[in-house]
PDB file of all heavy atoms in Angstrom:
ATOM      1  N   ARG A  69     -24.875  -9.120  -9.321  1.00 94.00           N
ATOM      2  CA  ARG A  69     -23.824  -9.762  -8.515  1.00 94.00           C
ATOM      3  C   ARG A  69     -24.077 -11.266  -8.364  1.00 94.00           C
ATOM      4  O   ARG A  69     -23.144 -12.052  -8.328  1.00 94.00           O
ATOM      5  CB  ARG A  69     -23.703  -9.079  -7.157  1.00 94.00           C
ATOM      6  CG  ARG A  69     -22.933  -7.757  -7.239  1.00 94.00           C
ATOM      7  CD  ARG A  69     -23.084  -6.924  -5.972  1.00 94.00           C
ATOM      8  NE  ARG A  69     -22.149  -5.792  -5.952  1.00 94.00           N
ATOM      9  CZ  ARG A  69     -22.332  -4.677  -6.661  1.00 94.00           C
ATOM     10  NH1 ARG A  69     -23.376  -4.554  -7.454  1.00 94.00           N
ATOM     11  NH2 ARG A  69     -21.437  -3.693  -6.600  1.00 94.00           N
ATOM     12  N   ARG A  98     -13.355 -18.168 -11.576  1.00 93.00           N
ATOM     13  CA  ARG A  98     -12.507 -17.022 -11.929  1.00 93.00           C
ATOM     14  C   ARG A  98     -12.392 -16.897 -13.449  1.00 93.00           C
ATOM     15  O   ARG A  98     -12.424 -15.801 -13.993  1.00 93.00           O
ATOM     16  CB  ARG A  98     -11.121 -17.171 -11.297  1.00 93.00           C
ATOM     17  CG  ARG A  98     -11.091 -16.870  -9.802  1.00 93.00           C
ATOM     18  CD  ARG A  98      -9.738 -16.346  -9.366  1.00 93.00           C
ATOM     19  NE  ARG A  98      -8.684 -17.288  -9.645  1.00 93.00           N
ATOM     20  CZ  ARG A  98      -8.320 -18.276  -8.831  1.00 93.00           C
ATOM     21  NH1 ARG A  98      -8.938 -18.415  -7.667  1.00 93.00           N
ATOM     22  NH2 ARG A  98      -7.344 -19.085  -9.145  1.00 93.00           N
ATOM     23  N   ARG A 101     -15.634 -15.445 -14.719  1.00 94.00           N
ATOM     24  CA  ARG A 101     -15.715 -14.004 -14.402  1.00 94.00           C
ATOM     25  C   ARG A 101     -14.834 -13.188 -15.350  1.00 94.00           C
ATOM     26  O   ARG A 101     -15.159 -12.050 -15.693  1.00 94.00           O
ATOM     27  CB  ARG A 101     -15.275 -13.757 -12.955  1.00 94.00           C
ATOM     28  CG  ARG A 101     -16.309 -14.179 -11.931  1.00 94.00           C
ATOM     29  CD  ARG A 101     -15.767 -14.015 -10.531  1.00 94.00           C
ATOM     30  NE  ARG A 101     -16.749 -14.364  -9.517  1.00 94.00           N
ATOM     31  CZ  ARG A 101     -16.470 -14.496  -8.223  1.00 94.00           C
ATOM     32  NH1 ARG A 101     -15.225 -14.309  -7.796  1.00 94.00           N
ATOM     33  NH2 ARG A 101     -17.414 -14.809  -7.364  1.00 94.00           N
ATOM     34  N   ALA A 102     -13.693 -13.774 -15.739  1.00 92.00           N
ATOM     35  CA  ALA A 102     -12.776 -13.059 -16.627  1.00 92.00           C
ATOM     36  C   ALA A 102     -13.434 -12.742 -17.967  1.00 92.00           C
ATOM     37  O   ALA A 102     -13.004 -11.836 -18.675  1.00 92.00           O
ATOM     38  CB  ALA A 102     -11.514 -13.899 -16.841  1.00 92.00           C
ATOM     39  N   PHE A 108     -18.733  -0.608 -12.377  1.00 91.00           N
ATOM     40  CA  PHE A 108     -19.416  -0.213 -11.135  1.00 91.00           C
ATOM     41  C   PHE A 108     -19.810   1.264 -11.190  1.00 91.00           C
ATOM     42  O   PHE A 108     -19.203   2.042 -11.937  1.00 91.00           O
ATOM     43  CB  PHE A 108     -18.490  -0.443  -9.934  1.00 91.00           C
ATOM     44  CG  PHE A 108     -18.152  -1.884  -9.701  1.00 91.00           C
ATOM     45  CD1 PHE A 108     -17.141  -2.512 -10.423  1.00 91.00           C
ATOM     46  CD2 PHE A 108     -18.848  -2.644  -8.775  1.00 91.00           C
ATOM     47  CE1 PHE A 108     -16.827  -3.841 -10.222  1.00 91.00           C
ATOM     48  CE2 PHE A 108     -18.542  -3.977  -8.567  1.00 91.00           C
ATOM     49  CZ  PHE A 108     -17.532  -4.573  -9.289  1.00 91.00           C
ATOM     50  N   ARG A 110     -19.192   3.502  -9.072  1.00 87.00           N
ATOM     51  CA  ARG A 110     -18.101   4.381  -8.616  1.00 87.00           C
ATOM     52  C   ARG A 110     -16.789   3.946  -9.275  1.00 87.00           C
ATOM     53  O   ARG A 110     -15.728   4.130  -8.723  1.00 87.00           O
ATOM     54  CB  ARG A 110     -18.003   4.295  -7.082  1.00 87.00           C
ATOM     55  CG  ARG A 110     -17.680   5.618  -6.407  1.00 87.00           C
ATOM     56  CD  ARG A 110     -17.848   5.521  -4.911  1.00 87.00           C
ATOM     57  NE  ARG A 110     -17.229   4.343  -4.338  1.00 87.00           N
ATOM     58  CZ  ARG A 110     -15.953   4.254  -4.003  1.00 87.00           C
ATOM     59  NH1 ARG A 110     -15.151   5.273  -4.180  1.00 87.00           N
ATOM     60  NH2 ARG A 110     -15.475   3.148  -3.484  1.00 87.00           N
ATOM     61  N   ASN A 112     -14.520   2.141  -9.297  1.00 93.00           N
ATOM     62  CA  ASN A 112     -13.670   1.216  -8.542  1.00 93.00           C
ATOM     63  C   ASN A 112     -12.286   0.998  -9.139  1.00 93.00           C
ATOM     64  O   ASN A 112     -11.781  -0.128  -9.212  1.00 93.00           O
ATOM     65  CB  ASN A 112     -14.370  -0.141  -8.382  1.00 93.00           C
ATOM     66  CG  ASN A 112     -15.469  -0.065  -7.334  1.00 93.00           C
ATOM     67  OD1 ASN A 112     -15.602   0.948  -6.655  1.00 93.00           O
ATOM     68  ND2 ASN A 112     -16.245  -1.117  -7.199  1.00 93.00           N
ATOM     69  N   LEU A 113     -11.656   2.092  -9.558  1.00 95.00           N
ATOM     70  CA  LEU A 113     -10.261   2.000 -10.016  1.00 95.00           C
ATOM     71  C   LEU A 113      -9.359   2.039  -8.792  1.00 95.00           C
ATOM     72  O   LEU A 113      -9.751   2.538  -7.731  1.00 95.00           O
ATOM     73  CB  LEU A 113      -9.932   3.174 -10.938  1.00 95.00           C
ATOM     74  CG  LEU A 113     -10.780   3.304 -12.203  1.00 95.00           C
ATOM     75  CD1 LEU A 113     -10.377   4.565 -12.968  1.00 95.00           C
ATOM     76  CD2 LEU A 113     -10.620   2.083 -13.101  1.00 95.00           C
ATOM     77  N   ARG A 116      -4.318   5.157  -6.594  1.00 90.00           N
ATOM     78  CA  ARG A 116      -2.956   5.705  -6.675  1.00 90.00           C
ATOM     79  C   ARG A 116      -2.210   5.229  -7.921  1.00 90.00           C
ATOM     80  O   ARG A 116      -1.101   5.679  -8.180  1.00 90.00           O
ATOM     81  CB  ARG A 116      -2.164   5.337  -5.424  1.00 90.00           C
ATOM     82  CG  ARG A 116      -2.740   5.947  -4.145  1.00 90.00           C
ATOM     83  CD  ARG A 116      -1.981   5.472  -2.931  1.00 90.00           C
ATOM     84  NE  ARG A 116      -0.551   5.628  -3.077  1.00 90.00           N
ATOM     85  CZ  ARG A 116       0.113   6.751  -2.891  1.00 90.00           C
ATOM     86  NH1 ARG A 116      -0.541   7.828  -2.544  1.00 90.00           N
ATOM     87  NH2 ARG A 116       1.403   6.805  -3.052  1.00 90.00           N
ATOM     88  N   HIS A 125      -4.985  -4.291 -15.380  1.00 93.00           N
ATOM     89  CA  HIS A 125      -5.591  -5.240 -14.440  1.00 93.00           C
ATOM     90  C   HIS A 125      -6.645  -6.114 -15.123  1.00 93.00           C
ATOM     91  O   HIS A 125      -6.955  -7.196 -14.643  1.00 93.00           O
ATOM     92  CB  HIS A 125      -6.236  -4.493 -13.264  1.00 93.00           C
ATOM     93  CG  HIS A 125      -5.228  -3.881 -12.354  1.00 93.00           C
ATOM     94  ND1 HIS A 125      -5.546  -2.912 -11.441  1.00 93.00           N
ATOM     95  CD2 HIS A 125      -3.899  -4.084 -12.226  1.00 93.00           C
ATOM     96  CE1 HIS A 125      -4.462  -2.543 -10.780  1.00 93.00           C
ATOM     97  NE2 HIS A 125      -3.451  -3.251 -11.248  1.00 93.00           N
ATOM     98  N   ALA A 129      -6.965 -11.966 -14.917  1.00 80.00           N
ATOM     99  CA  ALA A 129      -7.564 -13.301 -14.832  1.00 80.00           C
ATOM    100  C   ALA A 129      -7.391 -14.110 -16.111  1.00 80.00           C
ATOM    101  O   ALA A 129      -7.671 -15.292 -16.118  1.00 80.00           O
ATOM    102  CB  ALA A 129      -9.049 -13.171 -14.511  1.00 80.00           C
ATOM    103  N   TRP A 137       0.166  -6.852 -12.757  1.00 85.00           N
ATOM    104  CA  TRP A 137      -0.047  -6.095 -11.516  1.00 85.00           C
ATOM    105  C   TRP A 137       0.196  -4.598 -11.737  1.00 85.00           C
ATOM    106  O   TRP A 137      -0.581  -3.769 -11.336  1.00 85.00           O
ATOM    107  CB  TRP A 137       0.857  -6.625 -10.395  1.00 85.00           C
ATOM    108  CG  TRP A 137       0.417  -7.957  -9.851  1.00 85.00           C
ATOM    109  CD1 TRP A 137      -0.711  -8.649 -10.183  1.00 85.00           C
ATOM    110  CD2 TRP A 137       1.099  -8.765  -8.882  1.00 85.00           C
ATOM    111  NE1 TRP A 137      -0.768  -9.838  -9.484  1.00 85.00           N
ATOM    112  CE2 TRP A 137       0.319  -9.928  -8.676  1.00 85.00           C
ATOM    113  CE3 TRP A 137       2.293  -8.623  -8.177  1.00 85.00           C
ATOM    114  CZ2 TRP A 137       0.691 -10.933  -7.782  1.00 85.00           C
ATOM    115  CZ3 TRP A 137       2.663  -9.612  -7.295  1.00 85.00           C
ATOM    116  CH2 TRP A 137       1.872 -10.761  -7.088  1.00 85.00           C
ATOM    117  N   PHE A 138       1.332  -4.294 -12.358  1.00 83.00           N
ATOM    118  CA  PHE A 138       1.698  -2.883 -12.588  1.00 83.00           C
ATOM    119  C   PHE A 138       2.248  -2.745 -14.000  1.00 83.00           C
ATOM    120  O   PHE A 138       2.937  -3.646 -14.475  1.00 83.00           O
ATOM    121  CB  PHE A 138       2.758  -2.416 -11.586  1.00 83.00           C
ATOM    122  CG  PHE A 138       2.387  -2.722 -10.169  1.00 83.00           C
ATOM    123  CD1 PHE A 138       2.989  -3.766  -9.504  1.00 83.00           C
ATOM    124  CD2 PHE A 138       1.429  -1.975  -9.520  1.00 83.00           C
ATOM    125  CE1 PHE A 138       2.643  -4.074  -8.198  1.00 83.00           C
ATOM    126  CE2 PHE A 138       1.066  -2.276  -8.220  1.00 83.00           C
ATOM    127  CZ  PHE A 138       1.669  -3.318  -7.549  1.00 83.00           C
ATOM    128  N   ARG A 166      -2.651   9.507 -12.821  1.00 95.00           N
ATOM    129  CA  ARG A 166      -3.177   8.702 -11.712  1.00 95.00           C
ATOM    130  C   ARG A 166      -4.695   8.663 -11.755  1.00 95.00           C
ATOM    131  O   ARG A 166      -5.337   9.670 -12.061  1.00 95.00           O
ATOM    132  CB  ARG A 166      -2.707   9.289 -10.380  1.00 95.00           C
ATOM    133  CG  ARG A 166      -1.413   8.665  -9.892  1.00 95.00           C
ATOM    134  CD  ARG A 166      -0.868   9.371  -8.690  1.00 95.00           C
ATOM    135  NE  ARG A 166      -1.823   9.472  -7.579  1.00 95.00           N
ATOM    136  CZ  ARG A 166      -1.468   9.658  -6.324  1.00 95.00           C
ATOM    137  NH1 ARG A 166      -0.189   9.722  -6.013  1.00 95.00           N
ATOM    138  NH2 ARG A 166      -2.366   9.778  -5.386  1.00 95.00           N
ATOM    139  N   ARG A 182     -10.732  -1.095 -18.957  1.00 92.00           N
ATOM    140  CA  ARG A 182     -10.289  -2.269 -18.177  1.00 92.00           C
ATOM    141  C   ARG A 182     -11.113  -3.500 -18.589  1.00 92.00           C
ATOM    142  O   ARG A 182     -10.567  -4.597 -18.733  1.00 92.00           O
ATOM    143  CB  ARG A 182     -10.457  -1.962 -16.687  1.00 92.00           C
ATOM    144  CG  ARG A 182     -10.016  -3.080 -15.777  1.00 92.00           C
ATOM    145  CD  ARG A 182      -9.974  -2.624 -14.328  1.00 92.00           C
ATOM    146  NE  ARG A 182     -11.290  -2.225 -13.831  1.00 92.00           N
ATOM    147  CZ  ARG A 182     -11.538  -1.735 -12.617  1.00 92.00           C
ATOM    148  NH1 ARG A 182     -10.526  -1.584 -11.768  1.00 92.00           N
ATOM    149  NH2 ARG A 182     -12.743  -1.398 -12.226  1.00 92.00           N
ATOM    150  N   GLN A 186     -10.013  -7.054 -20.566  1.00 90.00           N
ATOM    151  CA  GLN A 186     -10.414  -8.418 -20.182  1.00 90.00           C
ATOM    152  C   GLN A 186     -10.753  -9.247 -21.413  1.00 90.00           C
ATOM    153  O   GLN A 186     -10.852 -10.452 -21.339  1.00 90.00           O
ATOM    154  CB  GLN A 186     -11.703  -8.356 -19.328  1.00 90.00           C
ATOM    155  CG  GLN A 186     -11.502  -8.267 -17.856  1.00 90.00           C
ATOM    156  CD  GLN A 186     -12.860  -8.229 -17.159  1.00 90.00           C
ATOM    157  OE1 GLN A 186     -13.337  -7.151 -16.827  1.00 90.00           O
ATOM    158  NE2 GLN A 186     -13.462  -9.371 -16.930  1.00 90.00           N
TER     159      GLN A 186
ATOM    160  N   ASP B 171      -9.987   0.845   0.725  1.00 94.00           N
ATOM    161  CA  ASP B 171     -11.261   0.861   0.009  1.00 94.00           C
ATOM    162  C   ASP B 171     -11.523  -0.511  -0.630  1.00 94.00           C
ATOM    163  O   ASP B 171     -10.687  -1.033  -1.364  1.00 94.00           O
ATOM    164  CB  ASP B 171     -11.184   1.960  -1.063  1.00 94.00           C
ATOM    165  CG  ASP B 171     -12.480   2.118  -1.836  1.00 94.00           C
ATOM    166  OD1 ASP B 171     -13.468   1.474  -1.449  1.00 94.00           O
ATOM    167  OD2 ASP B 171     -12.493   2.882  -2.816  1.00 94.00           O
ATOM    168  N   GLY B 173     -13.824  -1.179  -2.835  1.00 94.00           N
ATOM    169  CA  GLY B 173     -14.336  -1.082  -4.202  1.00 94.00           C
ATOM    170  C   GLY B 173     -13.400  -1.683  -5.244  1.00 94.00           C
ATOM    171  O   GLY B 173     -13.793  -2.592  -5.987  1.00 94.00           O
ATOM    172  N   PRO B 174     -12.142  -1.202  -5.314  1.00 95.00           N
ATOM    173  CA  PRO B 174     -11.224  -1.774  -6.310  1.00 95.00           C
ATOM    174  C   PRO B 174     -10.996  -3.272  -6.098  1.00 95.00           C
ATOM    175  O   PRO B 174     -10.840  -4.018  -7.069  1.00 95.00           O
ATOM    176  CB  PRO B 174      -9.918  -0.990  -6.063  1.00 95.00           C
ATOM    177  CG  PRO B 174     -10.345   0.287  -5.443  1.00 95.00           C
ATOM    178  CD  PRO B 174     -11.550  -0.042  -4.629  1.00 95.00           C
ATOM    179  N   GLU B 176     -13.239  -5.376  -4.969  1.00 94.00           N
ATOM    180  CA  GLU B 176     -14.419  -6.044  -5.506  1.00 94.00           C
ATOM    181  C   GLU B 176     -14.357  -6.082  -7.037  1.00 94.00           C
ATOM    182  O   GLU B 176     -14.705  -7.090  -7.671  1.00 94.00           O
ATOM    183  CB  GLU B 176     -15.697  -5.319  -5.052  1.00 94.00           C
ATOM    184  CG  GLU B 176     -16.941  -6.093  -5.422  1.00 94.00           C
ATOM    185  CD  GLU B 176     -18.244  -5.314  -5.217  1.00 94.00           C
ATOM    186  OE1 GLU B 176     -18.196  -4.095  -5.029  1.00 94.00           O
ATOM    187  OE2 GLU B 176     -19.306  -5.957  -5.267  1.00 94.00           O
ATOM    188  N   ALA B 177     -13.848  -4.970  -7.618  1.00 94.00           N
ATOM    189  CA  ALA B 177     -13.767  -4.909  -9.083  1.00 94.00           C
ATOM    190  C   ALA B 177     -12.818  -5.984  -9.616  1.00 94.00           C
ATOM    191  O   ALA B 177     -13.135  -6.669 -10.585  1.00 94.00           O
ATOM    192  CB  ALA B 177     -13.302  -3.523  -9.519  1.00 94.00           C
ATOM    193  N   GLY B 179     -11.942  -8.734  -8.098  1.00 93.00           N
ATOM    194  CA  GLY B 179     -12.553 -10.041  -7.822  1.00 93.00           C
ATOM    195  C   GLY B 179     -13.622 -10.367  -8.868  1.00 93.00           C
ATOM    196  O   GLY B 179     -13.725 -11.492  -9.331  1.00 93.00           O
ATOM    197  N   ALA B 180     -14.377  -9.328  -9.272  1.00 93.00           N
ATOM    198  CA  ALA B 180     -15.450  -9.548 -10.252  1.00 93.00           C
ATOM    199  C   ALA B 180     -14.896  -9.929 -11.612  1.00 93.00           C
ATOM    200  O   ALA B 180     -15.575 -10.562 -12.403  1.00 93.00           O
ATOM    201  CB  ALA B 180     -16.302  -8.287 -10.373  1.00 93.00           C
ATOM    202  N   MET B 181     -13.661  -9.513 -11.899  1.00 92.00           N
ATOM    203  CA  MET B 181     -13.105  -9.877 -13.205  1.00 92.00           C
ATOM    204  C   MET B 181     -12.272 -11.161 -13.115  1.00 92.00           C
ATOM    205  O   MET B 181     -11.600 -11.534 -14.055  1.00 92.00           O
ATOM    206  CB  MET B 181     -12.289  -8.719 -13.781  1.00 92.00           C
ATOM    207  CG  MET B 181     -11.042  -8.387 -12.999  1.00 92.00           C
ATOM    208  SD  MET B 181     -10.051  -7.123 -13.820  1.00 92.00           S
ATOM    209  CE  MET B 181     -11.110  -5.716 -13.694  1.00 92.00           C
ATOM    210  N   GLY B 182     -12.320 -11.837 -11.962  1.00 91.00           N
ATOM    211  CA  GLY B 182     -11.706 -13.161 -11.841  1.00 91.00           C
ATOM    212  C   GLY B 182     -10.272 -13.160 -11.353  1.00 91.00           C
ATOM    213  O   GLY B 182      -9.591 -14.180 -11.463  1.00 91.00           O
ATOM    214  N   ALA B 183      -9.804 -12.031 -10.808  1.00 92.00           N
ATOM    215  CA  ALA B 183      -8.418 -11.993 -10.313  1.00 92.00           C
ATOM    216  C   ALA B 183      -8.280 -12.894  -9.081  1.00 92.00           C
ATOM    217  O   ALA B 183      -9.223 -13.033  -8.303  1.00 92.00           O
ATOM    218  CB  ALA B 183      -8.040 -10.560  -9.962  1.00 92.00           C
ATOM    219  N   SER B 187      -3.402 -11.607  -6.582  1.00 92.00           N
ATOM    220  CA  SER B 187      -3.421 -10.463  -7.497  1.00 92.00           C
ATOM    221  C   SER B 187      -4.190  -9.297  -6.881  1.00 92.00           C
ATOM    222  O   SER B 187      -3.803  -8.137  -7.042  1.00 92.00           O
ATOM    223  CB  SER B 187      -4.068 -10.856  -8.827  1.00 92.00           C
ATOM    224  OG  SER B 187      -3.210 -11.696  -9.543  1.00 92.00           O
ATOM    225  N   ALA B 190      -1.877  -7.711  -4.360  1.00 93.00           N
ATOM    226  CA  ALA B 190      -0.750  -6.994  -4.957  1.00 93.00           C
ATOM    227  C   ALA B 190      -1.197  -5.781  -5.761  1.00 93.00           C
ATOM    228  O   ALA B 190      -0.553  -4.724  -5.712  1.00 93.00           O
ATOM    229  CB  ALA B 190       0.048  -7.947  -5.844  1.00 93.00           C
ATOM    230  N   ALA B 191      -2.307  -5.933  -6.494  1.00 93.00           N
ATOM    231  CA  ALA B 191      -2.676  -4.881  -7.437  1.00 93.00           C
ATOM    232  C   ALA B 191      -3.657  -3.861  -6.858  1.00 93.00           C
ATOM    233  O   ALA B 191      -3.729  -2.744  -7.361  1.00 93.00           O
ATOM    234  CB  ALA B 191      -3.281  -5.511  -8.693  1.00 93.00           C
ATOM    235  N   PRO B 195      -1.292  -1.147  -3.147  1.00 93.00           N
ATOM    236  CA  PRO B 195      -1.211   0.247  -3.597  1.00 93.00           C
ATOM    237  C   PRO B 195      -2.077   1.190  -2.755  1.00 93.00           C
ATOM    238  O   PRO B 195      -1.682   2.317  -2.473  1.00 93.00           O
ATOM    239  CB  PRO B 195      -1.708   0.187  -5.046  1.00 93.00           C
ATOM    240  CG  PRO B 195      -1.455  -1.202  -5.480  1.00 93.00           C
ATOM    241  CD  PRO B 195      -1.645  -2.061  -4.258  1.00 93.00           C
ATOM    242  N   GLN B 270       2.307  10.913  -1.818  1.00 71.00           N
ATOM    243  CA  GLN B 270       1.690  12.050  -2.525  1.00 71.00           C
ATOM    244  C   GLN B 270       0.262  11.698  -2.871  1.00 71.00           C
ATOM    245  O   GLN B 270      -0.024  10.587  -3.215  1.00 71.00           O
ATOM    246  CB  GLN B 270       2.456  12.340  -3.804  1.00 71.00           C
ATOM    247  CG  GLN B 270       3.803  12.964  -3.532  1.00 71.00           C
ATOM    248  CD  GLN B 270       4.651  13.077  -4.797  1.00 71.00           C
ATOM    249  OE1 GLN B 270       4.202  12.823  -5.892  1.00 71.00           O
ATOM    250  NE2 GLN B 270       5.895  13.440  -4.620  1.00 71.00           N
TER     251      GLN B 270
END
Side-chain angles (χ1 to χ4, degrees):
Chain A
R69 282 167 169 77
R98 284 209 301 274
R101 285 175 178 170
F108 295 82
R110 218 170 47 84
N112 284 353
L113 300 177
R116 296 176 50 81
H125 289 164
W137 287 355
F138 309 104
R166 268 172 55 158
R182 181 170 62 183
Q186 269 181 263
Chain B
D171 183 7
E176 188 190 14
M181 66 175 67
S187 288
Q270 288 172 8

